[in-house]
Amino acid sequence: MSRLGTIARRTFLIGSAAIAGGVAFGVYAYKREPENPLLRQLGDGQVALTPYVRIDQTGVTIITPRADVGQGVASVLAALVAEELDVAWNDIKIDFGPPSAAYYNGAVTAEGLPFAATNDGLIARQARVVGDAVSKFLSLQITGGSSTVPDAYEKMRVAGAVARDVLLQAAAKQTGIAKEELKTSNGSVITPRGEALSYASLAADAARIDPPKDVRLKPEADWRYLGKPMQRIDIVEKSTGTTTFGIDIKMPGMVYATVRTNPTIGGGIKGFDASAAEKSRGVIAIVPITGGVGVIADNTWRAFKAASLIKCDWGPSPYPSSSAAMFQTVAASFTAERQDSRLKDDGDVETALRGTGVLEAEYKVPYLAHAPLEPMNAVVQLKDGRLDIWTGTQIPLFVVTMAAEVTGLRAEHIHLHSLFSGGSFGRRLEHDYVRQAVELAKAHPGRPIKMTWTREEDMSHDFPRPLGMARMRGAVKDGKVEAYDLKLACPSVTASWFGRLRIPTFGPDTAIVAGAWDQPFRIPHYRVTGYRVPEMVPVSSWRSVGASGNGFLHDCFLDELIRAAGADPLKELIRLCWHEPSRKVLETVGEMSKWGSDPGKDRGRGIAFTLSFGVPVAEVVEVTNTPRGIKIDRVFVAADVGKVLAPENFENQVQGGVIWGLGHAINCELTYEDGVPEQTNFHAYEGLRLYQTPVIEVRATDNGSTIRGIGEPPVPPAAPALANAIFAATGKRIRELPLNKQIEFV
């Protein structure tokens, strides 16, 4: 290793931890420092001052080690470092970096803990520290759970500040001027005489300096980027179609592939006849893969056509064959044997619900597909004992581990190049598509192979958001909600997903009751029980995970109870709410929507509130009941993430979450017949159309004490706010999604 590399290793800094009111630096893995992953791939003249900052003669590259699936994470993470490093926004380059335990996500495990985000007690705080340790131990370099910003907020600012400090020290040594007399500006150190020393010219000397034990972060009043309107770092490329997504990769000598696996989920393959496909134009090879067969050809379309000609003998599915049968399994799961959790049990529910006047209901939510616009794909090349993978993924280290198992190569010979993704919504938390590509490369080494799924393969082999059912009872008294007993039953996303990653899980799955048990309402008799349904098809995280369905299940029946009490929905939610930031978003959305005013003839307003991923979100939907059906007019959203770091991106993410939530509430479900998904493309799985999209007004409040993410929290309240608005406009209470099964939309 070069002297520069040896010195740079000493300058490695990862993260920060709040200790006794201060900040401790150089702390990683609880007293154990890993290697800076950038040091293994430094080019000539490159210096890695921290795992997040690489400098060479062309300028500064900021490592943003989370998957950008359209949510703008690359820009936010880059801004955290750039703010403290003091570099010009237009001069920044970004790199997703290599897979590395150094980039573990310490915040992602918090959502799975049996402590509500509003619980700031000692045990809850200690549990989150333990969760951080678990994340480190498992090397969870994961993008998900709206955890990216909470995890990165301190550690990436510190990385920028440390890099800036050692650059100032290097400049002081070069010039003989005291560090305190030097300043920085837009990627240069400025002397009192106005001379500018570029970071590139100082980097080699800076790499020889040990990082400081403490640094002072910029006060918020001095922020240039954070909290200010700024153009996303990828906006020009995405607006001009020049961003390189996984599906855009082109390489010399590249061949193209696709796969077919059993549409009957879990059925496997007994055999296949590829004689017709082998004669198809452009076909290079037919390759057996796990559970199916792959086709390698000279372009993607010819691979698709040839794959359709293969006659496969598929095995039967081990799961119930129809959606009706699956819902029967769900309905049969409200038993003591299948009780998974009871994380809320306030008051005396059984006594409160004795006698007459008890309201009862049953609600349902369906399976939902992820269906990202960019279908699953990967480019792979196995050559000379080295495997390269180009793809978009939310779990890079797990992809490397999987590829090592398939190929028998050591991890250091596997090189994953993470790319922008054209959507995910949780789908790229899986690596099945990459495994198939690696299997093809193992059978056909040498040339790069681009493997792309058809949309039909994508829909048929998704790991969907689980279906679910709720049974609820409630009572009202003196115009107030008195009792609420909510029972939720669905399969475990956590056990299913971790099982595929070969990580054991223990205890209850909080995802089954997320967005329900942890709501900040002080109802006198309030109980939420989760029941674990046996897995019927493998399921996975979908945007906002358990809260995505539970927002509808919990909030709609709460609206039923409030209306049965004769109370105003907003006023009663505010009265019940004990959590000040949550109460503030309710008050704010009421002000935004002019709640209480007359909505007009044939019009209705509905309100819903869900606290998920630590973020309280309140939404009001306004609809008109037209002769042709329901028209969604406006949506008002108030949310509290503690501090908005990127205002324009915040607004975009909230609006996108609302559109996502409304579109699926109206139109979407994934149903099964004879073990096969019936929806195979967007003609049968239709999102919200542009003409249906309402005006969406967004406002952030700033009453929370903790920085949170916003990618997922706007989704859960959208469906119940719409359903409650439909009730207000029509008197029709809909208790099953999608809503278009019972009502028309225009």
Side-chain angles (χ1 to χ4, degrees):
M1 179 178 290
S2 68
R3 172 171 170 75
L4 181 60
T6 302
I7 294 170
R9 185 188 301 277
R10 295 204 308 269
T11 71
F12 169 63
L13 176 89
I14 179 74
S16 64
I19 298 176
V23 181
F25 304 96
V27 177
Y28 175 72
Y30 304 93
K31 311 300 183 184
R32 186 164 60 90
E33 248 185 32
E35 180 182 280
N36 180 343
L38 301 183
L39 300 178
R40 297 193 300 269
Q41 51 181 229
L42 288 177
D44 292 340
Q46 290 185 330
V47 173
L49 298 182
T50 82
Y52 300 99
V53 178
R54 187 174 66 225
I55 302 177
D56 59 23
Q57 292 306 309
T58 66
V60 175
T61 298
I62 295 176
I63 307 302
T64 58
R66 295 289 179 264
D68 196 306
V69 294
Q71 82 280 39
V73 69
S75 284
V76 176
L77 295 186
L80 290 168
V81 176
E83 187 68 77
E84 300 293 338
L85 183 55
D86 201 358
V87 289
W89 188 246
N90 291 335
D91 293 339
I92 294 170
K93 292 174 288 185
I94 62 166
D95 187 331
F96 292 119
S100 173
Y103 302 125
Y104 85 95
N105 185 337
V108 73
T109 53
E111 188 67 16
L113 297 173
F115 297 96
T118 52
N119 185 342
D120 197 37
L122 177 61
I123 295 176
R125 294 200 306 271
Q126 290 177 334
R128 292 176 190 124
V129 173
V130 172
D132 181 88
V134 170
S135 293
K136 178 266 156 188
F137 179 75
L138 296 176
S139 299
L140 293 182
Q141 186 185 356
I142 286 177
T143 306
S146 292
S147 61
T148 293
V149 171
D151 174 69
Y153 178 63
E154 275 195 357
K155 68 171 64 168
M156 294 193 70
R157 291 170 65 210
V158 167
V162 167
R164 176 179 177 272
D165 190 277
V166 295
L167 288 162
L168 283 167
Q169 291 185 56
K173 288 185 177 181
Q174 280 192 17
T175 62
I177 301 171
K179 187 182 80 167
E180 292 72 23
E181 297 181 28
L182 299 171
K183 298 179 181 180
T184 57
S185 176
N186 293 335
S188 295
V189 174
I190 310 299
T191 70
R193 296 185 295 272
E195 298 168 319
L197 305 175
S198 71
Y199 287 172
S201 69
L202 297 168
D205 288 339
R208 297 180 174 87
I209 299 172
D210 287 334
K213 298 301 181 184
D214 59 58
V215 289
R216 178 175 296 177
L217 300 179
K218 275 187 183 181
E220 187 175 339
D222 294 340
W223 282 356
R224 297 172 59 195
Y225 304 132
L226 299 177
K228 307 291 195 298
M230 59 181 177
Q231 180 172 285
R232 269 177 44 169
I233 208 162
D234 57 351
I235 197 68
V236 172
E237 289 81 3
K238 286 189 173 178
S239 298
T240 57
T242 56
T243 300
T244 301
F245 296 93
I247 205 167
D248 296 323
I249 291 288
K250 293 181 179 179
M251 299 177 65
M254 188 164 72
V255 293
Y256 303 81
T258 195
V259 299
R260 280 185 65 196
T261 53
N262 194 338
T264 304
I265 304 300
I269 187 170
K270 298 178 181 178
F272 63 87
D273 177 1
S275 56
E278 289 169 345
K279 299 173 185 176
S280 185
R281 184 180 179 187
V283 169
I284 296 169
I286 307 294
V287 180
I289 62 168
T290 301
V293 59
V295 176
I296 301 174
D298 60 4
N299 68 41
T300 297
W301 177 247
R302 289 173 180 168
F304 285 177
K305 295 297 289 183
S308 69
L309 298 176
I310 300 175
K311 297 178 180 179
C312 298
D313 184 9
W314 302 122
S317 172
Y319 305 112
S321 63
S322 69
S323 292
M326 292 176 185
F327 268 116
Q328 288 176 1
T329 301
V330 177
S333 295
F334 292 96
T335 64
E337 293 76 15
R338 292 184 180 172
Q339 181 176 321
D340 187 69
S341 69
R342 180 168 286 168
L343 298 176
K344 180 180 286 292
D345 193 0
D346 297 341
D348 185 349
V349 170
E350 293 300 333
T351 299
L353 293 178
R354 287 178 187 154
T356 59
V358 174
L359 282 75
E360 297 189 38
E362 181 176 276
Y363 279 73
K364 296 179 181 179
V365 294
Y367 286 114
L368 290 175
H370 296 86
L373 287 179
E374 181 192 10
M376 300 298 100
N377 67 87
V379 175
V380 293
Q381 183 175 28
L382 179 60
K383 185 178 182 180
D384 301 329
R386 170 184 170 125
L387 176 67
D388 284 274
I389 303 170
W390 293 265
T391 194
T393 177
Q394 295 170 249
I395 51 170
L397 274 174
F398 288 106
V399 169
V400 171
T401 299
M402 172 277 297
E405 293 175 355
V406 172
T407 61
L409 294 174
R410 294 169 61 89
E412 56 263 35
H413 300 305
I414 298 171
H415 300 267
L416 175 63
H417 312 273
S418 294
L419 301 169
F420 280 96
S421 298
S424 175
F425 316 109
R427 182 59 180 87
R428 287 177 167 87
L429 284 166
E430 307 289 341
H431 56 43
D432 52 326
Y433 58 102
V434 187
R435 172 183 284 274
Q436 293 170 348
V438 173
E439 289 184 5
L440 293 173
K442 185 178 180 182
H444 197 78
R447 300 172 71 177
I449 302 171
K450 176 187 282 189
M451 191 285 298
T452 308
W453 280 12
T454 64
R455 177 61 60 191
E456 289 74 17
E457 189 76 15
D458 179 54
M459 295 292 288
S460 297
H461 294 89
D462 195 9
F463 297 94
R465 195 279 305 272
L467 80 176
M469 182 182 294
R471 289 177 178 167
M472 49 273 280
R473 299 181 298 158
V476 299
K477 182 179 179 181
D478 299 328
K480 302 174 182 177
V481 176
E482 178 74 6
Y484 189 179
D485 184 26
L486 175 62
K487 298 178 179 180
L488 299 162
C490 78
S492 171
V493 164
T494 303
S496 186
W497 181 70
F498 273 109
R500 289 188 291 280
L501 297 180
R502 300 179 184 175
I503 298 175
T505 57
F506 307 95
D509 181 4
T510 57
I512 292 174
V513 293
W517 80 273
D518 47 359
Q519 301 308 286
F521 298 122
R522 191 169 282 121
I523 298 171
H525 310 283
Y526 193 10
R527 184 167 70 189
V528 179
T529 309
Y531 297 86
R532 185 177 298 204
V533 177
E535 184 170 85
M536 293 172 288
V537 297
V539 293
S540 189
S541 295
W542 186 91
R543 190 174 183 178
S544 70
V545 202
S548 67
N550 290 339
F552 174 74
L553 301 173
H554 178 279
D555 293 5
C556 282
F557 188 68
L558 183 55
D559 191 75
E560 287 197 47
L561 290 174
I562 292 171
R563 290 182 181 277
D568 176 84
L570 175 59
K571 290 180 180 178
E572 181 66 353
L573 289 175
I574 291 172
R575 185 191 72 81
L576 291 169
C577 184
W578 59 266
H579 182 238
E580 181 59 30
S582 297
R583 185 185 301 115
K584 184 63 177 178
V585 300
L586 284 164
E587 292 170 346
T588 299
V589 84
E591 173 194 332
M592 294 169 65
S593 64
K594 297 181 173 55
W595 186 274
S597 63
D598 182 6
K601 186 176 184 299
D602 295 321
R603 304 188 76 237
R605 290 193 192 102
I607 186 168
F609 169 94
T610 307
L611 190 151
S612 62
F613 304 93
V615 179
V617 181
E619 298 181 15
V620 169
V621 172
E622 291 185 350
V623 302
T624 300
N625 184 22
T626 77
R628 296 187 298 116
I630 292 292
K631 181 180 184 298
I632 308 174
D633 299 310
R634 302 180 76 86
V635 179
F636 304 90
V637 190
D640 192 330
V641 293
K643 191 184 304 295
V644 176
L645 301 180
E648 292 179 347
N649 201 50
F650 172 88
E651 183 176 17
N652 292 339
Q653 284 298 292
V654 172
Q655 291 173 335
V658 170
I659 291 170
W660 178 259
L662 293 177
H664 283 82
I666 290 172
N667 296 320
C668 296
E669 62 179 336
L670 198 62
T671 60
Y672 293 81
E673 193 60 50
D674 296 327
V676 178
E678 295 182 292
Q679 293 76 24
T680 60
N681 212 314
F682 289 120
H683 71 284
Y685 194 84
E686 188 175 314
L688 199 68
R689 294 301 186 103
L690 187 61
Y691 70 84
Q692 295 175 312
T693 304
V695 174
I696 303 172
E697 296 185 24
V698 178
R699 189 178 300 178
T701 61
D702 187 3
N703 297 280
S705 58
T706 304
I707 294 288
R708 302 286 186 181
I710 195 59
E712 295 169 282
V715 176
L722 174 58
N724 293 340
I726 291 170
F727 176 80
T730 68
K732 184 178 181 65
R733 181 66 70 177
I734 304 176
R735 298 190 175 107
E736 182 177 1
L737 297 178
L739 300 170
N740 67 358
K741 297 172 81 168
Q742 298 187 44
I743 201 163
E744 294 290 329
F745 289 86
V746 296

